Amino acid sequence: MVKLTKVEDNPRSNVKVATTYARPQNCIRDGKLVDSASSAEPYIAISYAWDIRPSFKEWEGRRVTEQALHIADRLSKHTSYALWIDAICIDQDNEPVKMVELAKMADIYRGATAVLCLVPEIDQTTRRVVEHGTGMIDLDGFRALEQAGDTHGMYMFASQGSNKALYKLFSSRWWTRVWTFQEAVLNHITFLVGEKEETLPISDVLKISHPISRRAATQKKDNLLGQSSSFWDSVHSMSDAMKAYMPLGTAISSVWRRQSTVTHDMAYSLLGVCRLETITPDYRLSVEKVFADLVDKASSKGDFSWLRWSHVVDRDAACEGMSMVPVPATVLATPASAITEWRSVEVPQMSVVRGGAAGVCIPHRSTGVIRWQSEPEDIKGVINMLQKLSYGPEDIWNLLFGLHVGFACDVDKAVGGSGLAQALLNLATGYIDGTIRLEDSEDDLVGNKPYTRGYGFTAYASMAAKVWKNTQLVVMRSQGGTTVVPTHSGTGQARLHRLPVASHRGTCLCLVVHDDTKFRASAIGVMVEDDHAGSGSWQFTRFS
């Protein structure tokens, strides 16, 4: 197979390196299908959202969509380059060939001369608004707002007062499709193109999305420019994906906010951004097998960041082998990603694997048996209990809300405050017991009051109030530390294990396992470690 060699910057050095990419089998040029695998002819890759109900027709011996043929005809009038359009260049009815081409998708976009993302909602007004917004972000006034943590001021600069053109831009279906995330971030020469060929560098659009996403995260009403906070999570993270390969946990937080027609694509669309292309797409596999293979492959490369999403798994309903494996439906149902970043902990090579035949292999370190466990309590009862056990407000917040909302120190940083943990707990408790109404307009003091540094924490408290609604929790303590998890069906003696995932301050996730079902996870939580407490050596277990 002939490959295209492309010279690009190595993100880890100042040296330009030559990189070879797998070439597509076919492209379309001058209205004809051409062989691209055996030549080094440059091509432009096209990203677009398929019609909801595509119309197919026979063309050059294969079935293609009329939409794709229209795109090829339209764009060929503006370039002499060959075009790669998936609905034409991949034979949709030849499964073996289709699987080979899908495995090369990331390389096809990386190796293209340029990538054009078709967003028909873009017009001349949109282009001017985005250009003006990027210019505003470069001003000293914006930087001053950023240093002060003034999310509302930053948003007003970037969006020019919620300009209606941005509503239109971000209403496009293109932003919601799972494959378009990868297609837009793998090539530095990527443009958004409107219906009348209006063109915007995607980097400019992503630049203004950062202050918009910051604003969305600190609003009680989950709707900004017509979109949810989770939507803005996904859009803003595209700029990070353009700079470096994404840990699987981060990619899940972003890409699984989107939609796909075929569930398998929720996994396969991650392969390029996470550098997991040794996985070959196979749509004959069950979706459970596909997602289990995805996290297993990431773990084999030392990436355990996906474990941050294992806490949303419904273990009582999970089928065999899936008690630790996050799936898109549960992530999509989560209102927003926690702001705390989790990193994988390096673990030694281990060849001995315990556990059954099904499941995923995970390193862990025992912190001992559970020496004390509380009776089930609601969230307010657990807060009172932890206070009686002499835990401070920051530890209490982190135990209860660190996985769902973010650690107290990260909320401090996000809103420009310090020591907000007690205020967060007080406000969240007030929302929970009804002494403070969630609809009270205290959101960042926007509109009719001066900006107050650090006040944006109110939205994080309202997020926390919704986390454990109608849920019973238990406090569990081992020799090594303490965690708080929902009630679960595990029976017998329980143990607390450290997982190879930690925050930037070293706080780790932990796994509750019962002896009666020792190869099946019971619960996952944040662990507050006891001072000077040790833990056992690393073990490698396949949890079902």
Side-chain angles (χ1 to χ4, degrees), residues 128-154:
R128 287 194 297 269
V129 168
V130 171
E131 288 176 352
H132 187 63
T134 57
M136 295 285 282
I137 288 174
D138 290 331
L139 296 176
D140 290 340
F142 178 87
R143 283 189 284 271
L145 293 170
E146 188 171 32
Q147 289 169 3
D150 187 345
T151 56
H152 176 63
M154 293 162 59

Side-chain angles (χ1 to χ4, degrees), residues 227-254:
Q227 302 296 339
S228 67
S229 177
S230 60
F231 172 90
W232 294 112
D233 277 351
S234 179
V235 172
H236 169 57
S237 64
M238 294 173 78
S239 58
D240 295 327
M242 295 185 80
K243 300 170 188 173
Y245 304 123
M246 301 182 84
L248 181 57
T250 305
I252 284 174
S253 303
S254 308

Side-chain angles (χ1 to χ4, degrees), residues 503-539:
S503 70
H504 64 94
R505 287 195 173 185
T507 303
C508 69
L509 297 185
C510 65
L511 175 67
V512 178
V513 180
H514 286 79
D515 287 349
D516 291 1
T517 52
K518 61 182 177 180
F519 299 136
R520 186 174 176 85
S522 294
I524 286 179
V526 170
M527 187 170 75
V528 171
E529 295 184 64
D530 291 344
D531 291 338
H532 312 300
S535 53
S537 58
W538 286 104
Q539 302 177 62

Side-chain angles (χ1 to χ4, degrees), residues 379-403 406-408 421-422 424-426 428-429 464 468 473 475 482-484 526-528:
I379 181 65
K380 192 171 180 181
V382 170
I383 291 173
N384 292 334
M385 184 185 306
L386 290 169
Q387 289 171 338
K388 291 177 181 177
L389 292 171
S390 300
Y391 286 97
E394 186 164 334
D395 283 342
I396 294 174
W397 175 270
N398 293 344
L399 283 166
L400 294 172
F401 307 116
L403 264 175
F407 283 179
Q422 187 61 64
L424 284 164
L425 284 174
N426 292 344
T429 304
W468 298 120
L473 304 171
V475 180
T482 300
T483 192
V484 178
V526 170
M527 187 170 75
V528 171

Side-chain angles (χ1 to χ4, degrees), residues 157-323:
F157 263 60
S159 70
Q160 294 144 79
S162 301
N163 192 292
K164 291 182 179 180
L166 299 182
Y167 279 87
K168 185 178 178 182
L169 169 61
F170 291 110
S171 70
S172 175
R173 283 184 65 243
W174 183 84
W175 296 102
T176 69
R177 307 308 296 170
V178 70
W179 279 107
T180 58
F181 186 100
Q182 171 178 272
E183 294 163 3
V185 302
L186 295 179
N187 192 309
H188 291 295
I189 306 174
T190 298
F191 297 90
L192 304 185
V193 180
E195 193 67 39
K196 295 182 179 179
E197 321 314 333
E198 300 89 350
T199 303
L200 275 171
I202 193 171
S203 56
D204 284 357
V205 179
L206 298 182
K207 186 174 181 178
I208 68 169
S209 76
H210 173 56
I212 296 172
S213 67
R214 286 280 299 276
R215 179 73 190 121
T218 55
Q219 272 205 172
K220 290 190 186 75
K221 294 181 180 178
D222 195 23
N223 186 313
L224 191 65
L225 294 178
Q227 302 296 339
S228 67
S229 177
S230 60
F231 172 90
W232 294 112
D233 277 351
S234 179
V235 172
H236 169 57
S237 64
M238 294 173 78
S239 58
D240 295 327
M242 295 185 80
K243 300 170 188 173
Y245 304 123
M246 301 182 84
L248 181 57
T250 305
I252 284 174
S253 303
S254 308
V255 182
W256 285 5
R257 302 298 190 180
R258 297 174 174 233
Q259 301 166 353
S260 68
T261 304
V262 181
T263 305
H264 294 64
D265 287 336
M266 299 299 282
Y268 296 145
S269 61
L270 297 174
L271 303 184
V273 293
C274 298
R275 274 299 194 185
L276 298 173
E277 291 134 305
T278 52
I279 294 176
T280 300
D282 187 345
Y283 291 81
R284 298 167 299 179
L285 298 175
S286 69
V287 291
E288 291 82 9
K289 172 67 171 169
V290 169
F291 292 121
D293 287 349
L294 177 72
V295 298
D296 237 355
K297 179 59 69 174
S299 296
S300 71
K301 299 181 68 173
D303 178 7
F304 305 105
S305 60
W306 58 271
L307 285 165
R308 63 176 286 195
W309 283 107
S310 291
H311 73 282
V312 300
V313 175
D314 183 350
R315 293 172 222 291
D316 292 333
C319 62
E320 185 68 15
M322 297 292 287
S323 72

